[in-house]
Amino acid sequence: MKNFLVLFQVALTGCLLFAYVVVLNNPQQVFPIVLYGLKIAVLISISMVIVNAVSFLLINFWLTRKKRTRPSRLLKLIISVFLYLICIFIILRILGQETTMFFTTSALFTAIVGFAMQEPLGNFLSGVFLQINQPFQIGDQIQFQGLEGIVVEGVVESIDWNSTDIRLNSGEITYIPNGLIAKELVKMIDSGSVYRTVDFTISAKVPPNQVMDTACKAVINQPLPNINLDKPVFVRMWSYGLEEVNYKLFYYPKNYSEAENHTDPEIRCRIWYTLSRTSMGSEYQSTENERLLQLVSNIEFFRNLTVEAQSLLVEHSKTLLFDADELLDYQHLLSPAMFLVVRGCVAIEQKLVPNLETVTFKPVSRQPQNHNQSSYALKPIVIEQVASALAKYIGPVAFSLTYQTAKEVSSLYWLYASLAAEIENIDQRQEFLGYQPDAPTEKFLIGDFFGEMNLFLGEPLPSMKIITVEDTEILALTPAAVANALHHDGISINTMSQYIAQYHHNYLSGTLQEVSSRILNQNGISEQMQEHLEPYFRRLLNPLVTS
C-alpha cells in the first residue's frame, strides 16, 4: 500500500509538472491566478516527493542499515517536519514572498504557545534530544530513578513525542514523560538479562502443575536459537477463571529485538503442538477415521483383521501432532507403541553402527543393504578418492573393489560402510571411517511406520535421530489397541506371533531393529509377545485389574 502511494505521488507530480509547462507556454489562454495556483501545486508536490525520498535514505538506509538502530515514530516525525519546514522556506523564496515576516510571526507564535505548554513542549524537546543522542533504543533494558525516589526498571517498548513506554519486570507498561528521563541518570542493563513473557490459555479442568511442566519441556527439550538457556525458563499461572486459566511462559531472548516478531510466535506454536499431544489444548479435528482405517489395513500384520477389529485398533490408538523441525524423542513418543505416519513427513537418520569386532555393519532402520543401479550413483572423482584412501590399507585391489561396490550403493556414506569391512585391522578400519560423511536420512511418508518391535515385544526404539520435515500427524498404535483388536476377532497371541516372526525374518533380520539374541534363542518371539501383551488382555477381560 505504501509503495502504491509513493508511485501515485510521483505520477501526480509528473502530471502537474506537464500541465504547468503546457500552461506556461500558452499564458494567454488561462488566468494568471490559475497559473500561480498550478505553480504552487507543482512545488508542493515536488516537495513531498523530495521529503519522502530523503526520509527513506535517512531512516531506512542510513539509520536502520548503517547504524543498526531502530528509529521510533517520534524520530520519523521530527525528520519529516524538519524537511517540510525547509521546503516551505524554499517555496516562499521561489514565489517571491518575504520570509522575514513568516519567521517573525512563527517565533512570536512559538513563544506564546511555548509559555502556555511549557511541560508538554519540554517533554517533546526531551524526546527529540533522546532520539538525537540515542542513549538507549527500543528493546533495551534501562533503570532510572523516577518520582519520589522510586527505581523504575524495564524494557523500552516505544519512544513517543511526549513519553517513553517501558514494560516493567512485572509485565505492566508504564508511560514515563521524556522530560523526567532526560533529567535522571539512566543505567543500561545487559540485554541478556531481559525476559519476555508468552501468554497462553488452557481449560481450568487441567491440573496447573501438569500444564506448567509440559509447556516448559516444550521449550527446553528443543530450544529455539534465540532463547538463552543460561537463564531459567519457567511458567506461572497468571489469572484464574471458572472455564479457563491464563498462563505466562517466561524466557530470556538472546536478541530482544527479534523476540516479538519471531521467537514469541514460534514458542506459542510449539506449546500448542505439545499441549495438543497431551490432550490439554483445544479440540483439533484430526484425520478422519475412514482414512486411518485404510492406512492401518495396508499394514501386513493387521491386513487379515476384520473391519470392526481394525476400527477398534484405530479407536484405542492416539493421534500425535508435531510442528515442522521438531525432534522426536522418548518424551514426545508414547512407549510401547508403533508409529504410523498419517500426514506430513518424518526423516529418520539411517546411521550405521559398526561392530568392529565381527566386521559387520547394521543399519538402524529398514534400509536395504543392496542398492542395485544401472550406473554409478557417485561421481568418478569421488570414487577415485575413496579408492585411494582404501588402498593405503588393502593395496591396489582397492580400486577395482571400490568401483564394483559403488554400483550397488546410493550414497558416499554407504560406500564407506561397505568398504570398511574389507579392512582387517580394527584401528585402521576406524581411521578409514573417519572420512565417512554424515549419515543420510530416509523420509517416512504417509503410510510408513516404525517401532514395530516396540509395540509387540516391548523392545526400545534404536538410538536414532527422528525429526519432522513438516507439520506432521502420527498415529501411535498401542498394545492396548492391539489387544482389543485381537480379542474382538478371537485371534490368539500365538497366532499373531507367527506373523511377527515372519515379518521380523523378512525385514528386520540383520538390522539394528533385530531383536536381541536372548529373545530369539531363549524365549522366542511367541513367548516374548505372550509376556508383553498378556497384561493388556487381562485388563481387557477384567477392567479392575491394574497390573
Side-chain angles (χ1 to χ4, degrees):
M1 183 66 181
K2 187 175 180 180
N3 293 335
F4 173 77
L5 292 176
V6 172
L7 292 175
F8 175 77
Q9 196 174 66
V10 173
L12 179 62
T13 302
C15 293
L16 289 174
L17 186 60
F18 176 77
Y20 178 72
V21 173
V22 172
V23 172
L24 189 63
N25 292 330
N26 301 279
Q28 67 279 2
Q29 297 182 4
V30 295
F31 295 104
I33 188 64
V34 175
L35 181 61
Y36 187 76
L38 192 56
K39 182 178 181 181
I40 294 176
V42 170
L43 291 173
I44 293 175
S45 183
I46 293 176
S47 299
M48 294 175 64
V49 173
I50 293 175
V51 168
N52 287 334
V54 175
S55 298
F56 176 81
L57 292 175
L58 286 175
I59 296 173
N60 296 76
F61 183 77
W62 187 66
L63 289 176
T64 304
R65 298 185 182 180
K66 294 295 183 180
K67 295 296 184 179
R68 302 291 183 182
T69 60
R70 298 178 61 193
S72 66
R73 291 170 297 179
L74 176 60
L75 181 59
K76 296 176 181 178
L77 176 62
I78 293 171
I79 292 175
S80 297
V81 170
F82 179 74
L83 291 174
Y84 276 120
L85 287 176
I86 295 176
C87 289
I88 291 174
F89 176 77
I90 295 174
I91 290 174
L92 291 175
R93 297 289 292 182
I94 293 175
L95 295 176
Q97 299 295 324
E98 182 60 42
T99 57
T100 305
M101 181 64 69
F102 171 79
F103 285 105
T104 302
T105 306
S106 300
L108 180 61
F109 178 77
T110 302
I112 295 173
V113 175
F115 182 77
M117 303 180 61
Q118 185 175 0
E119 185 174 349
L121 286 177
N123 292 329
F124 175 78
L125 293 176
S126 297
V128 173
F129 288 121
L130 287 175
Q131 285 300 318
I132 294 174
N133 296 327
Q134 289 194 330
F136 51 81
Q137 300 179 32
I138 298 174
D140 287 344
Q141 176 90 348
I142 64 173
Q143 182 186 87
F144 65 95
Q145 191 170 358
L147 298 175
E148 299 180 358
I150 300 175
V151 177
V152 178
E153 180 178 332
V155 179
V156 179
E157 290 282 327
S158 65
I159 303 174
D160 211 337
W161 69 272
N162 184 52
S163 64
T164 298
D165 305 344
I166 297 178
R167 182 182 292 276
L168 304 180
N169 293 337
S170 62
E172 300 173 337
I173 295 180
T174 182
Y175 303 91
I176 308 297
N178 290 329
L180 180 62
I181 294 180
K183 295 177 183 178
E184 300 295 335
L185 175 64
V186 178
K187 296 181 180 179
M188 295 288 296
I189 302 176
D190 181 17
S191 61
S193 62
V194 181
Y195 68 80
R196 285 190 63 86
T197 60
V198 176
D199 298 345
F200 61 96
T201 304
I202 297 298
S203 170
K205 299 178 181 179
V206 184
N209 287 337
Q210 187 177 355
V211 174
M212 292 187 288
D213 182 63
T214 303
C216 276
K217 289 180 178 178
V219 177
I220 296 174
N221 290 343
Q222 192 179 353
L224 300 169
N226 194 35
I227 295 180
N228 183 7
L229 289 183
D230 294 333
K231 302 285 185 177
V233 176
F234 55 94
V235 178
R236 294 290 181 265
M237 187 170 66
W238 206 252
S239 61
Y240 176 78
L242 296 178
E243 298 294 333
E244 296 179 332
V245 177
N246 180 256
Y247 295 86
K248 286 182 181 289
L249 182 140
F250 295 79
Y251 77 98
Y252 292 80
K254 295 178 181 178
N255 188 337
Y256 194 93
S257 62
E258 295 182 359
E260 182 177 3
N261 295 328
H262 301 286
T263 313
D264 288 2
E266 291 173 346
I267 290 177
R268 290 190 186 95
C269 186
R270 184 64 52 81
I271 290 176
W272 186 92
Y273 278 96
T274 302
L275 295 177
S276 296
R277 287 197 294 271
T278 54
S279 302
M280 294 187 224
S282 304
E283 292 293 329
Y284 176 77
Q285 184 64 37
S286 60
T287 304
E288 60 278 5
N289 285 344
E290 292 77 8
R291 189 181 175 204
L292 293 176
L293 281 173
Q294 182 180 1
L295 294 174
V296 169
S297 64
N298 290 333
I299 301 176
E300 53 188 280
F301 32 79
F302 298 138
R303 196 171 295 160
N304 295 327
L305 296 177
T306 62
V307 176
E308 292 79 9
Q310 292 173 354
S311 299
L312 286 173
L313 191 62
V314 170
E315 180 182 344
H316 290 83
S317 298
K318 184 174 179 58
T319 298
L320 305 176
L321 300 173
F322 295 94
D323 193 8
D325 299 324
E326 261 201 272
L327 184 65
L328 279 59
D329 56 18
Y330 290 102
Q331 294 184 346
H332 290 160
L333 297 175
L334 299 177
S335 186
M338 186 183 82
F339 308 99
L340 172 66
V341 180
V342 175
R343 174 171 55 84
C345 178
V346 174
I348 300 181
E349 186 181 59
Q350 298 301 301
K351 185 176 181 180
L352 291 172
V353 180
N355 186 333
L356 298 176
E357 299 296 335
T358 59
V359 199
T360 59
F361 296 83
K362 298 180 179 180
V364 169
S365 187
R366 299 191 302 276
Q367 175 74 26
Q369 298 189 36
N370 294 320
H371 307 268
N372 297 322
Q373 299 178 0
S374 58
S375 59
Y376 295 118
L378 303 172
K379 295 181 179 180
I381 188 173
V382 175
I383 301 174
E384 189 73 19
Q385 291 173 351
V386 177
S388 300
L390 182 64
K392 293 191 298 185
Y393 307 107
I394 65 174
V397 70
F399 289 90
S400 59
L401 183 62
T402 302
Y403 274 93
Q404 181 60 36
T405 306
K407 297 178 180 179
E408 304 172 355
V409 298
S410 58
S411 69
L412 185 60
Y413 179 88
W414 290 92
L415 180 60
Y416 272 98
S418 302
L419 295 175
E422 304 295 331
I423 304 175
E424 296 182 1
N425 185 280
I426 295 177
D427 294 334
Q428 292 180 346
R429 188 182 311 132
Q430 207 161 12
E431 182 182 355
F432 176 72
L433 287 175
Y435 300 102
Q436 190 180 35
D438 294 336
T441 57
E442 180 181 358
K443 289 186 177 181
F444 280 48
L445 303 175
I446 298 174
D448 293 335
F449 54 88
F450 58 95
E452 307 92 308
M453 297 300 105
N454 185 242
L455 169 65
F456 291 107
L457 305 180
E459 289 291 290
L461 288 173
S463 178
M464 53 188 175
K465 182 179 179 181
I466 308 174
I467 191 168
T468 54
V469 178
E470 57 190 71
D471 183 83
T472 301
E473 180 180 350
I474 291 178
L475 184 68
L477 301 165
T478 63
V482 172
N484 273 276
L486 297 182
H487 177 71
H488 179 275
D489 281 5
I491 300 176
S492 65
I493 297 178
N494 185 57
T495 301
M496 176 59 74
S497 68
Q498 297 176 12
Y499 293 118
I500 303 305
Q502 185 63 36
Y503 175 85
H504 179 272
H505 175 75
N506 292 340
Y507 298 101
L508 304 183
S509 180
T511 75
L512 285 185
Q513 289 194 90
E514 181 178 16
V515 297
S516 63
S517 57
R518 174 185 61 82
I519 295 177
L520 292 177
N521 298 335
Q522 297 178 12
N523 300 328
I525 288 181
S526 177
E527 294 183 21
Q528 177 68 14
M529 282 187 62
Q530 190 78 27
E531 179 182 344
H532 177 59
L533 295 179
E534 186 62 33
Y536 297 97
F537 275 89
R538 289 203 302 269
R539 295 174 197 169
L540 182 64
L541 297 174
N542 185 3
L544 298 179
V545 176
T546 58
S547 62

